[in-house]
Amino acid sequence: MNERELVHPSSSRNTRAAAIDANHFVLTFENNRLASELFGRFDQHLKLLEERLHIDARARGNSVSITGELQATNQARRALDFLYERLQRGGSVDVSDVEGAIRMAVAADDQLTLPTLERKAKLSMAQIATRKKTISARTPTQDAYMRALERSELVFGVGPAGTGKTYLAVAHAAQLLERGAVDKIILSRPAVEAGERLGFLPGDMKEKVDPYLRPLYDALYDMMPGDKVERAITAGVIEIAPLAFMRGRTLANAAVILDEAQNTTSMQMKMFLTRLGENSRMIITGDPSQVDLPRGVKSGLVEALQILKGVEGISVIRFKDTDVVRHPLVGRIVQAYDAQYAVHEESEAADS
């Protein structure tokens, strides 16, 4: 069969594809250095494509030959095109980025473009960009979450650990601050382990709550230079506000994040929600399956999700174990625990 060269709709002048047969593509990338970064050290990124999509991917110079089922080879092409464009824009590509591109490429096959009902030829992922870092969605749920953060004034991101809900919330807040869309960032988290009696802990207020807000700090330092974070905290542009100390305030012109919200009581959640002021964005994250409140105390997050269902201006994004973007084993651990909880609940229901 004669080989015929095609130009991918998604690759413009930078990637050429030769279609040899229905299940075989040869992708050629013009920049040798970027192609090497795309394929990964010892072609580890291509090996990941092979493992996840059950294809054969063989690199030769700045080209890669992809063989497999038609749908899988197209998914591999979309993923590689997206990652190559990322490299062209000055970004980097690591294993987690490849994992994310694969997930999104697979998900794109489940989405039909109306009204023609044609398969999507190019990946389109939501992004959050700060001066220090640009983050692309790595799962369809992350994509929906990032778009909701742009669209809605109040967003709930709920689901298991490792799905990126807190990290993306902080990234979005940092982006709003850099844009000048808000004047400050306010970080809050219930300190359940201290019974909210922070006055008995040693040190000043920042030192008292630092252990509970460490994940938020880590995300901030990822998004902004360390010296800028420190200066912003000193100037009050980034504020650490324990939930117990927020009563009576109106939070205007701010990006406000409440993390670990499953550990709020009903009254605490209502108090927090009613702090929303003019030109503010509020993001509430938590995992309803990880409540640390005393037995018999209802989670304010669980109650709020029920009461506020369908309220205009509020977005609720629910993450699942399939959205876990940490080590793949974390996703399997979450699945195992969820299955065990389901069995336990069925047993309790049967006994009652």
Side-chain angles (χ1 to χ4, degrees):
M1 180 177 182
N2 292 331
E3 182 176 284
R4 151 173 95 83
E5 279 204 344
L6 301 174
V7 178
H8 285 296
S10 61
S11 57
S12 66
R13 300 177 181 175
N14 299 304
T15 309
R16 292 184 294 111
I20 297 174
D21 57 45
N23 301 325
H24 186 180
F25 283 106
V26 176
L27 300 179
T28 301
F29 301 93
E30 292 187 352
N31 187 309
N32 290 349
R33 180 182 61 81
L34 295 185
S36 177
E37 290 183 43
L38 176 64
F39 300 159
R41 185 177 175 84
F42 303 118
D43 295 338
Q44 63 174 335
H45 298 162
L46 297 182
K47 291 175 183 176
L48 186 57
L49 280 170
E50 289 182 318
E51 180 184 333
R52 296 288 185 267
L53 297 177
H54 307 292
I55 60 168
D56 181 69
R58 300 188 183 186
R60 184 172 182 177
N62 62 336
S63 297
V64 57
S65 171
I66 301 174
T67 306
E69 293 186 1
L70 180 60
Q71 184 180 55
T73 56
N74 279 329
Q75 289 167 351
R77 174 180 58 79
R78 286 197 297 268
L80 288 171
D81 277 347
F82 172 80
L83 293 169
Y84 185 70
E85 289 180 6
R86 180 189 180 107
L87 289 168
Q88 286 182 305
R89 293 193 299 268
S92 60
V93 170
D94 59 23
V95 170
S96 59
D97 294 316
V98 179
E99 287 272 14
I102 293 170
R103 292 189 193 207
M104 296 299 288
V106 170
D109 269 333
D110 296 328
Q111 302 170 13
L112 298 181
T113 305
L114 297 175
T116 60
L117 298 182
E118 293 177 351
R119 293 290 181 186
K120 292 186 175 180
K122 183 177 181 179
L123 292 185
S124 177
M125 301 186 192
Q127 292 186 330
I128 295 174
T130 65
R131 292 176 187 173
K132 187 176 178 181
K133 193 169 189 177
T134 297
I135 304 168
S136 298
R138 292 179 177 173
T139 71
T141 309
Q142 281 195 356
D143 186 80
Y145 184 52
M146 292 161 76
R147 296 180 193 278
L149 292 173
E150 282 286 347
R151 182 180 65 248
S152 302
E153 293 178 312
L154 175 57
V155 177
F156 286 88
V158 296
T163 52
K165 54 189 185 295
T166 299
Y167 187 81
L168 293 176
V170 175
H172 180 68
Q175 177 182 253
L176 291 176
L177 185 64
E178 286 190 352
R179 283 182 189 169
V182 297
D183 295 333
K184 68 189 309 183
I185 295 173
I186 299 175
L187 307 176
S188 187
R189 200 176 189 186
V192 170
E193 295 86 347
E196 292 286 5
R197 289 179 288 197
L198 299 171
F200 291 96
L201 296 176
D204 59 21
M205 183 53 62
K206 181 178 179 298
E207 291 171 332
K208 292 175 191 289
V209 300
D210 266 1
Y212 305 102
L213 295 163
R214 194 71 253 167
L216 302 178
Y217 277 120
D218 291 343
L220 269 177
Y221 282 105
D222 251 10
M223 296 301 116
M224 302 169 64
D227 58 334
K228 288 191 175 182
V229 174
E230 295 297 337
R231 287 200 301 269
I233 291 175
T234 302
V237 174
I238 296 176
E239 182 180 349
I240 311 304
L243 183 59
F245 286 68
M246 295 189 68
R247 190 175 303 276
R249 299 184 60 186
T250 299
L251 308 175
N253 300 306
V256 190
I257 298 172
L258 175 60
D259 190 34
E260 295 290 333
Q262 74 274 7
N263 290 327
T264 60
T265 64
S266 297
M267 291 302 296
Q268 286 174 333
M269 178 59 76
K270 182 181 178 182
M271 178 271 292
F272 182 80
L273 289 170
T274 54
R275 300 307 95 196
L276 186 65
E278 287 294 321
N279 190 42
S280 283
R281 295 296 184 96
M282 189 172 278
I283 309 166
I284 298 172
T285 65
D287 180 1
S289 71
Q290 296 290 325
V291 178
D292 296 321
L293 293 168
R295 193 174 185 86
V297 178
K298 189 170 186 177
S299 166
L301 174 61
V302 173
E303 183 182 68
L305 292 172
Q306 295 168 346
I307 293 173
L308 301 177
K309 186 177 181 179
V311 173
E312 186 178 354
I314 298 177
S315 293
V316 178
I317 306 298
R318 298 182 184 273
F319 293 84
K320 301 177 182 177
D321 54 78
T322 51
D323 295 303
V324 172
V325 291
R326 292 179 183 168
H327 192 288
L329 183 57
V330 176
R332 296 196 290 273
I333 291 170
V334 172
Q335 287 178 330
Y337 270 90
D338 285 348
Q340 181 60 35
Y341 289 144
V343 170
H344 182 68
E345 289 173 0
E346 287 176 6
S347 176
E348 286 188 339
D351 292 341
S352 59

